[in-house]
Amino acid sequence: MLSSPLVLTVAGTLSVQAKEYLKEMMYICSYYMIGKSASSVTIGGIFCAGGDTRLG
């Protein structure tokens, strides 16, 4: 989310509608990455450290 203004500036040849779509897609991807990283930490770190290696 922090890098979206930079990406939109670099993609200067896009139309206004395409820039809006890009901005919305970047917000969706940023929220998806928050959930994905929390899931990865839980499954790959906490469960395996507790001895439950089959689940991970």
Side-chain angles (χ1 to χ4, degrees), residues 4-45:
S4 62
L6 177 66
V7 172
L8 291 171
T9 304
V10 171
T13 60
L14 295 177
S15 66
V16 175
Q17 186 177 13
K19 284 186 180 183
E20 281 296 315
Y21 287 153
L22 178 61
K23 188 161 92 172
E24 290 175 16
M25 288 183 346
M26 290 182 70
Y27 284 135
I28 291 169
C29 287
S30 66
Y31 286 117
Y32 170 75
M33 289 304 294
I34 292 170
K36 185 177 178 182
S37 64
S39 173
S40 296
V41 167
T42 303
I43 292 174

